[in-house]
Amino acid sequence: MLVFITKDYAELSREAARIVARAIRRKRDLRLGLATGETQLGLYRELVRIHREEGLDFARVVTFNLDEYVGLDAGQPQSFRAFMFTNFFDHVNVPVGQIHIPNGALRKDFEKTCEEYERAIQDAGGIDLQVLGIGKDGHIGFNEPASSFASRTRLKTLTAQTIEDNRRNFPPDKETPRAAITMGIGTILEAQRILLLGSGAAKARAIALAIEGPLTASVTASALQLHRDSTLLVDREAAAELRHKDYYDSALEMTRKLTPERLW
Ligand code: F6R
């Protein structure tokens, strides 16, 4: 794991966008895994800027979102589909046919839809770069505690903490979804490269457990310890509880000098 501690959220967003943009420039038909949530907003803003000002071309990029709430119609503004179009897809040139987001409007046949999602990833040739956020409980995607490290795309019940965290995005009179379809840990670990973004003091505990804690299904981000090419971009606040911060800074310095391509 490459732990990259940035000064603040703005720098984290710029670095994340630089890595994604670089990956697209090196491979025009990049298969890109995407996440939603507040942490990702800076990355999307920056990618839109690079598209507009520097001509970053998404025409051949194929995207796969990690997850979607169950029980919301696609057009509902709180759906992850709506989030993705409002904050990103409406402003760049990914052709709509190359965008994949799990269908959460379903009321049944979840298994079939989840299998089809897995097949779509496989048919595209797998994911080259998967971007992740992290929940306060250490979840990636919506892989809540006790998610198997072997899990695939499936229906998942959300924890009370996640439901509470997401409530801010819903009108007070609307019920917050209690379930989601999410790629599994096994699905995520198959991506060639992983980029996790963690920002703010509220994530400090989860980040420390993910990087320095034991491998455990109770903190599903700890599964990234098993991945051979993961970069964890965290701002100073989110890095606050890491024990080996100085070492990560010097390892980053050395990477910059000796193998800068790892930072692309
Ligand atoms: C959503 C997802 C989640 C979020 C996580 C953090 O697609 O994958 O794992 O990344 O819940 O959300 P924020 O950034 O809103 O704190």
Side-chain angles (χ1 to χ4, degrees):
M1 288 191 287
L2 185 66
V3 182
F4 188 148
I5 303 172
T6 64
K7 182 167 91 246
D8 54 20
Y9 178 66
E11 189 190 354
L12 176 145
S13 303
R14 276 197 307 275
E15 287 297 338
R18 200 182 50 79
I19 290 171
V20 174
R22 182 82 201 196
I24 294 171
R25 288 192 176 114
R26 283 159 64 101
K27 188 170 189 282
R28 303 261 326 270
D29 59 347
L30 191 82
R31 279 98 46 167
L32 179 61
L34 294 171
T36 55
E38 231 166 279
T39 315
Q40 309 297 323
L41 289 173
L43 163 65
Y44 292 137
R45 263 196 303 269
E46 192 59 18
L47 282 175
V48 169
R49 187 197 64 72
I50 299 174
H51 168 68
R52 285 193 182 139
E53 294 176 12
E54 299 169 26
L56 182 65
D57 186 10
F58 292 85
R60 294 178 57 202
V61 172
V62 179
T63 67
F64 289 92
N65 263 81
L66 279 167
D67 44 14
E68 177 60 287
Y69 290 125
V70 163
L72 293 188
D73 293 328
Q76 247 175 275
Q78 294 83 12
S79 70
F80 285 166
R81 172 171 287 273
F83 174 100
M84 288 306 300
F85 276 84
T86 306
N87 294 297
F88 187 51
F89 293 134
D90 282 346
H91 314 286
V92 294
N93 64 328
V94 186
V96 175
Q98 287 160 217
I99 294 171
H100 302 83
I101 302 173
N103 177 8
L106 301 169
R107 302 291 188 274
K108 54 180 187 159
D109 290 337
F110 295 106
E111 226 166 280
K112 184 166 155 268
T113 302
C114 293
E115 274 167 24
E116 282 167 4
Y117 203 67
E118 286 280 330
R119 205 166 318 122
I121 295 173
Q122 243 124 59
D123 290 349
I127 291 172
D128 295 305
L129 172 62
Q130 176 67 56
V131 182
L132 300 172
I134 183 167
K136 285 186 198 150
D137 62 4
H139 69 219
I140 48 176
F142 271 144
N143 291 287
E144 301 286 34
S147 292
S148 160
F149 282 8
S151 53
R152 314 298 307 185
T153 302
R154 70 210 182 292
L155 188 65
K156 196 75 201 164
T157 306
L158 303 178
T159 62
Q161 165 89 74
T162 302
I163 294 170
E164 195 45 48
D165 290 344
N166 295 335
R167 197 180 297 283
R168 62 178 187 260
N169 301 320
F170 288 82
D173 58 324
K174 261 220 145 71
E175 229 192 278
T176 312
R178 309 173 75 83
I181 291 176
T182 179
M183 280 187 205
I185 304 288
T187 321
I188 292 170
L189 289 178
E190 278 172 16
Q192 293 295 322
R193 186 175 179 196
I194 291 178
L195 177 63
L196 179 139
L197 314 185
S199 170
K203 302 292 172 66
R205 185 90 204 110
I207 288 290
L209 287 171
I211 298 173
E212 296 175 343
L215 272 181
T216 169
S218 296
V219 179
T220 54
S222 68
L224 299 186
Q225 295 174 26
L226 296 170
H227 195 274
R228 69 192 157 88
D229 191 2
S230 64
T231 302
L232 291 94
L233 256 175
V234 291
D235 61 19
R236 234 178 248 159
E237 285 183 350
E241 292 189 35
L242 288 171
R243 269 177 293 145
H244 305 296
K245 261 185 281 188
D246 292 345
Y247 171 69
Y248 304 139
D249 285 344
S250 58
L252 184 68
E253 223 23 70
M254 196 62 88
T255 304
R256 275 207 177 99
K257 263 195 216 136
L258 301 181
T259 50
E261 64 281 2
R262 280 206 70 200
L263 295 169
W264 292 348

